[in-house]
Every structure is written in C-alpha cells, then in structure tokens.
Amino acid sequence: MQWYLVASLLTILTSSQGILTTLSMTNGRYRYDYATVPFLAEVFKLLVSSYLLWKEIQKSPPPKMSTDWKSVRLFPIPSIIYLIHNNVQFATLLYVGASTYQIMGNLKIVTTGILFRLFLRRKLSNLQWMAIVLLAVGTTMSQVKGCGEASCDSLFSAPIQGYMFGILSACISALAGIYTEFLMKKNDDTLYWQNVQLYTFGAIFNMARLLLDDFRNEFEKGPWWQRLFKGYSFTTWLVVLNLGSTGLLVSWLMKYADNIVKVYSTSMAMPLTMVLSLFLFDFRPTLQLFLGIVVCMMSLHMYFSPPSMLIELPKMLNEDSESLLEVYVDQRTVTSGEYLKAS
C-alpha cells in the first residue's frame, strides 16, 4: 500500500474524531465514562494486530519476531511517555484556556522536526524546514479567532507556567512519536508483532489508569469494569473504532514512512474538521480559517514536491551546464584517443 493513501485515510479519520466525539454527547455531556474509550481502542488494536499476526504466521516462511527481553522491554516506554504527556496536558490547562492550549499544541509540529533531525539523524532541506514552520503557522492561523474576540487578548495573558508546560507538552508529544518510529524501524520484525507488543502495554497502562481513577474517587461509581459499556451508543462505538483505526494507521506510517508524514496527516485534519463543521454544526467560517487552509496547502506542496518543481533554474544556466558537459565529454574522448596511440 502506498504511504500517501494511508496518510490520506489518516487525515480523514483524524478530522472525524472531534465530530464523532461531539455527536456522542447528549445535551452537552457524556453519558458514558470517556476514560474507557482509549482502553477499548487499545483492546481493538490489540485484537486486530493479533489476528493479522496469526494470519501472517500461517504463511511460509514465518515472519521474523524478536522475543528476547532486550527487545521486548523497549515497548512499554511509549505508553509511559504518553502517560506523562497526559499529566502535563492537565497541568497546562490549569494555567491556560482551552483555545490557547489548542494553539500552543501546534508547537509539536516544529519540535517533531527538530527531534527528527537530532535523534533519527534525518536531514531536512531548507525548503522542508520552511514548509514545517509554514504548517505550524497555517494550523495556528486557522484556529485563531478574530481579534475582536476576548480569547484573542487572552492568548498572551496566561501565566509563564502555562507557556512552560505548553512547550514541555509539545516536546514530550514529539518525543513519543520519534521514539515510536525508532522502535518500529530498529529491526526487521513484522509490523503486527511490534503492534501486539505496543498495544498490550498500552491496554495495561490504560487499565491501570482506570483503576487509579477508581481509588481516587473511592469507588463512588463502582469498579471500572462495571461501567465499561454503560451509556455507550452507536456513535460512541464509532469513536472507539475511529481511535483504534487511527492508531493502526499511525503505526503503519511509523514503520514504512516517518513522523513528518504523520504530522502532516494529522495537521491537515484540523482545517478539514472545521470545513466539515460548516455542514454539520452551527459553525461560521472566518478569514483566518480560509488563510490558514491556504498556508497549509502551500506547506504540503513545498515539503513533498521535488526541488526542481519549486525552483526553476534560469534557461541560460541550463544551456551553460549542457555546454560544459559537452566540452567535458569531448576532452575525455580526446584524452582516451591519445592514450591509445601512445600505447
């Protein structure tokens, strides 16, 4: 399967996450325990990956699977990083509003590019760096409300702790993605075996989080397994399937593409979500939204297009280059002929 097909599908699924989550609410509130949704999504990914691994094992020769402890022990680390990230998110929201937090979240686009270069040793051209910065600017522009809004003034009025936690959140989010890519590409193990390990620990950590919430609330609503499916509707199950399918597509991109492709896929989903909201909800488009979408499309073209398509060399330079090449070939021919006569 081509990576751009997977990336396009990831964009569509990501853009529908917020819409499905909103549709799953009743009178502005959740009738289900939303903390159970990530757990069920992890279980869904684990079941799908286990089935695909079982199908692959039936083939000959069997797929490569590293079972030594040195390899397996690395797979809980992404879950630990995401667990830390979730706590940093809550700490950030103590100091900044939801709109400011959403805008600051775009910093992870740039931090992913920086960590991509530092840890994975992937070199990006100057045009690609400019494209990444443009993507961050475009997604931020599409989220900023009009300057007459009160939220526009509050964007730069949060305490310094909020900005520090926001930067830390962006760095941790980027680190989780970079480490997962390293994990997926460090050996030739089959993707499904790597997913089984990754999602097994993911399900365990999500279950531990549910149990911890029970202890914090002193089992006021009963143990988590008794309310696991309570209040679930058809739309809620679509949210679970969406999250699970998104995770499977991300792991495929980490194995066969890279973090930057994933960042573009998820970032392009932001303006797409807003466009879809025009038809599904009472959402009024703004000039910032339109300009942000244009900037994002320019960034997408700048990053993935070949340099020859972006920078057109002058015609005289091309002719001079061809002339120099002809002179070089003639000199090589003359030199070879003289060498043959001498011998």
Side-chain angles (χ1 to χ4, degrees), residues 6-7 72 87 91 98 122 132 135 139 153 155 159 168 172-173 175 193 200 213 221 226 253 260 289 291 321 333 340:
V6 177
V72 175
N87 288 300
R122 306 286 181 81
I132 290 174
L135 180 63
T139 52
D153 298 329
L155 179 61
L168 180 61
I172 294 175
S173 176
L175 178 62
W193 169 239
T200 296
D213 289 344
K221 298 180 181 179
Q226 290 185 1
L253 287 177
I260 304 298
L289 171 61
L291 293 176
S321 300
T333 305
L340 290 172

Side-chain angles (χ1 to χ4, degrees), residues 112-131:
T112 297
I114 295 172
L115 296 180
F116 188 76
R117 176 69 181 93
L118 292 177
F119 290 100
L120 297 181
R121 305 294 182 184
R122 306 286 181 81
K123 188 175 181 180
L124 298 174
S125 66
N126 291 335
L127 281 174
Q128 289 177 321
W129 277 114
M130 292 171 61

Side-chain angles (χ1 to χ4, degrees), residues 104-343:
M104 290 177 63
N106 295 320
L107 285 172
K108 68 183 178 183
I109 297 173
V110 179
T111 54
T112 297
I114 295 172
L115 296 180
F116 188 76
R117 176 69 181 93
L118 292 177
F119 290 100
L120 297 181
R121 305 294 182 184
R122 306 286 181 81
K123 188 175 181 180
L124 298 174
S125 66
N126 291 335
L127 281 174
Q128 289 177 321
W129 277 114
M130 292 171 61
I132 290 174
V133 173
L134 272 180
L135 180 63
V137 171
T139 52
T140 301
M141 189 182 298
S142 66
Q143 294 165 350
V144 174
K145 296 182 180 179
C147 288
E149 301 282 346
S151 61
C152 187
D153 298 329
S154 64
L155 179 61
F156 301 104
S157 61
I160 187 64
Q161 296 95 323
Y163 299 114
M164 296 298 292
F165 276 120
I167 294 172
L168 180 61
S169 175
C171 292
I172 294 175
S173 176
L175 178 62
I178 294 296
Y179 180 82
T180 303
E181 181 179 346
F182 160 77
L183 205 60
M184 292 295 188
K185 293 179 177 176
K186 75 182 185 68
N187 56 34
D188 296 329
D189 283 2
T190 175
L191 171 65
Y192 306 128
W193 169 239
Q194 292 176 323
N195 280 348
V196 166
Q197 298 173 85
L198 199 61
Y199 301 140
T200 296
F201 289 109
I204 291 173
F205 277 95
N206 275 275
M207 184 172 61
R209 186 243 169 137
L210 290 171
L211 191 59
L212 183 61
D213 289 344
D214 285 343
F215 279 104
R216 284 178 177 174
N217 299 323
E218 298 180 350
F219 292 89
E220 182 181 355
K221 298 180 181 179
W224 64 269
W225 56 85
Q226 290 185 1
R227 63 179 188 277
L228 188 59
F229 307 114
K230 186 177 180 180
Y232 269 54
S233 63
F234 176 73
T235 311
T236 312
W237 282 110
L238 287 180
V239 174
V240 173
L241 293 176
N242 184 294
L243 285 174
S245 301
T246 299
L248 292 170
L249 292 176
V250 168
S251 68
W252 193 96
L253 287 177
M254 293 297 187
K255 182 75 170 179
Y256 301 110
D258 56 48
N259 260 279
I260 304 298
V261 174
K262 187 209 77 171
V263 164
Y264 267 93
S265 300
T266 53
S267 297
M268 294 302 295
M270 296 179 189
L272 180 58
T273 300
M274 296 180 184
V275 172
L276 292 175
S277 299
L278 296 175
F279 304 97
L280 297 175
F281 306 110
D282 186 18
F283 179 76
R284 298 176 61 185
T286 63
L287 177 62
Q288 289 90 335
L289 171 61
F290 174 75
L291 293 176
I293 293 174
V294 172
V295 172
C296 287
M297 296 304 295
M298 291 171 58
S299 170
L300 184 69
H301 176 67
M302 185 182 294
Y303 187 90
F304 290 103
S305 297
S308 59
M309 185 181 295
L310 299 172
I311 303 176
E312 185 175 354
L313 295 175
K315 187 175 181 181
M316 291 181 60
L317 181 60
N318 288 334
E319 292 175 353
D320 292 342
S321 300
E322 292 175 359
S323 301
L324 288 173
L325 182 60
E326 291 175 0
V327 171
Y328 176 73
V329 171
D330 291 341
Q331 288 178 344
R332 288 290 300 272
T333 305
V334 170
T335 304
S336 300
E338 292 176 351
Y339 174 79
L340 290 172
K341 289 178 180 179
S343 58

